[in-house]
Amino acid sequence: MRKPMAAGNWKMFKTAKEAAQMLLDLKDKVKDVEDREIVLCPTFTALESAVNAVKGSNIKIGAQNLFWEEKGAFTGEIAPGMIKDLGCEYVIIGHSERRQYFGETDATVNKRIFAALKAGLKPIICVGETLQERESEKTFSVIETQIKGGLKDLTKEQMATAVIAYEPVWAIGTGKTASKEQAQEVHAFIRKLLSDMFGKDTASATRILYGGSVKPDNMKDLMSQPDIDGGLVGGASLEADSFSKIIKY
Ligand code: PGA
């Protein structure tokens, strides 16, 4: 009932031209894939060329962030409507790198989610604990705070288009993937929180992706878990070869 998703987060890599080249290659490699949703999230400057490169294919494009105001004197920011206007369908919100380096909080995540939904974009909302939090056994309380704060005041209907990504910070870019049991435990916990907040039907329809050193050789194992519905992939989404293997795990 939940369509598996492979989403790529390109972070601050690839020019517009490089993005288009990779996508043309990927498009060909995954043209027969129908049973899973494929999304790539380039930098703002590559969004337009990415949208053009995937036209008529089964690949969708998302942004990596947005600002919550529709327009105004906010130098350097990008409005939700601008991203939508380019033909994007998704937007990543609250990635741990935004939380760590750019002052993102659960309150600003919440504002961005509402702004994205208002513009007709589907949010991919990231949560995850740091190594220190895991080691001091705070994983569940951290996740609970992020989910409850980030998704505050959302309606069931709004939640229906959202995707959650559980990304333990200690697993991002480190080559240290969470074990499938570690990931499943947190995914099940998130689903239980969603059920308490939005009801059982919404919770069981919401996709929860795992992110953090997802590679072609560990995707299948992760996907064997009942509450893992896909991957949010950084490094391994940069090359068509490795990302297509993840998509076809
Ligand atoms: P990684 O990044 O796959 O390179 O660990 C994942 C992410 O930050 O979304």
Side-chain angles (χ1 to χ4, degrees):
M1 143 186 192
R2 298 188 295 265
K3 190 172 187 177
M5 175 186 268
N9 171 14
W10 280 354
K11 310 194 177 185
M12 202 173 71
F13 292 99
K14 293 195 192 292
T15 61
K17 202 169 158 188
E18 289 162 351
Q21 275 164 354
M22 184 287 191
L23 288 166
L24 292 175
D25 195 7
L26 182 70
K27 197 156 95 164
D28 191 50
K29 286 187 158 62
V30 300
K31 60 177 183 297
D32 299 325
V33 176
E34 284 170 7
D35 56 351
R36 41 208 78 169
E37 196 168 8
I38 307 167
V39 181
L40 271 161
C41 303
T43 53
F44 288 125
T45 51
L47 287 177
E48 187 167 15
S49 80
V51 167
N52 288 330
V54 302
K55 268 206 182 113
S57 79
N58 53 353
I59 303 172
K60 295 164 178 172
I61 301 298
Q64 296 172 18
N65 187 27
L66 46 63
F67 190 50
W68 54 79
E69 293 292 342
E70 282 173 25
K71 60 173 119 171
F74 304 105
T75 303
E77 291 298 325
I78 313 276
M82 296 169 180
I83 294 166
K84 178 73 182 172
D85 175 62
L86 290 178
C88 293
E89 190 168 327
Y90 283 92
V91 59
I92 298 173
I93 293 178
H95 189 277
S96 65
E97 285 149 19
R98 304 270 351 143
R99 295 178 190 258
Q100 200 175 341
Y101 307 126
F102 302 101
E104 185 85 90
T105 64
D106 296 328
T108 56
V109 164
N110 187 252
K111 285 186 180 195
R112 287 185 223 276
I113 294 171
F114 276 102
L117 292 167
K118 193 168 174 209
L121 293 162
K122 299 172 185 166
I124 300 174
I125 305 153
C126 304
V127 297
E129 81 287 0
T130 63
L131 183 60
Q132 203 203 351
E133 287 161 346
R134 174 161 284 264
E135 285 177 344
S136 50
E137 292 177 10
K138 289 195 191 121
T139 299
F140 294 108
S141 67
V142 167
I143 300 296
E144 182 166 354
T145 304
Q146 291 175 344
I147 289 283
K148 287 194 172 156
L151 306 182
K152 189 169 180 281
D153 297 332
L154 252 76
T155 64
K156 256 188 218 183
E157 292 67 33
Q158 288 171 317
M159 196 54 213
T161 60
V163 176
I164 305 288
Y166 167 58
E167 299 203 303
V169 178
W170 49 272
I172 295 178
T174 57
K176 266 195 256 169
T177 324
S179 69
K180 61 178 191 289
E181 293 82 11
Q182 282 173 322
Q184 166 58 25
E185 188 184 31
V186 179
H187 281 234
F189 177 70
I190 293 172
R191 205 173 301 285
K192 168 79 174 63
L193 290 172
L194 296 178
S195 178
D196 295 344
M197 293 172 79
F198 303 103
K200 208 158 182 269
D201 289 352
T202 306
S204 56
T206 303
R207 285 174 297 183
I208 306 175
L209 314 181
Y210 167 80
S213 299
V214 174
K215 307 285 176 215
D217 60 6
N218 59 28
M219 180 72 170
K220 192 172 176 188
D221 206 29
L222 289 160
M223 290 302 288
S224 69
Q225 299 303 297
D227 288 294
I228 302 182
D229 307 312
L232 179 55
V233 188
S237 72
L238 289 165
E239 303 296 333
D241 194 46
S242 55
F243 196 48
S244 64
K245 285 184 183 141
I246 288 173
I247 292 165
K248 300 181 187 176
Y249 65 88

